Amino acid sequence: MPELPDDAGRDPETAEPPAPETDAERRRRRAQFLRDLAEARALRARVQPRRAKAARLRHAMRMRTFRW
């Protein structure tokens, strides 16, 4: 279960604004999101193999017919 932020339940007018996010933090969060997304896609492909195969075939067809 995710933890609540520290300022949960405080008055929004007296709460300090969050510190600006650094590039490294943003890249770390993005990398984690992309790992989770890939894991979810892999799980979906295992759970629904017929739909995943059809999606792979559609993608391959799109890539073959794409003009560079």
Side-chain angles (χ1 to χ4, degrees):
M1 182 158 216
E3 295 181 10
L4 294 174
D6 291 339
D7 60 356
R10 292 186 193 166
D11 187 15
E13 293 177 5
T14 60
E16 295 178 16
E21 185 177 41
T22 64
D23 284 344
E25 291 171 342
R26 187 185 67 81
R27 283 194 302 270
R28 194 171 20 258
R29 280 192 315 105
R30 184 176 188 273
Q32 181 62 46
F33 169 77
L34 292 176
R35 280 193 298 271
D36 291 346
L37 184 62
E39 182 182 348
R41 284 183 175 152
L43 176 63
R44 186 174 184 185
R46 284 195 308 270
V47 172
Q48 301 175 338
R50 184 181 299 162
R51 185 176 293 177
K53 180 180 179 184
R56 276 196 312 275
L57 292 174
R58 281 193 304 272
H59 180 71
M61 182 63 73
R62 279 196 309 270
M63 296 309 288
R64 275 197 302 264
T65 58
F66 183 76
R67 297 245 175 172
W68 296 101

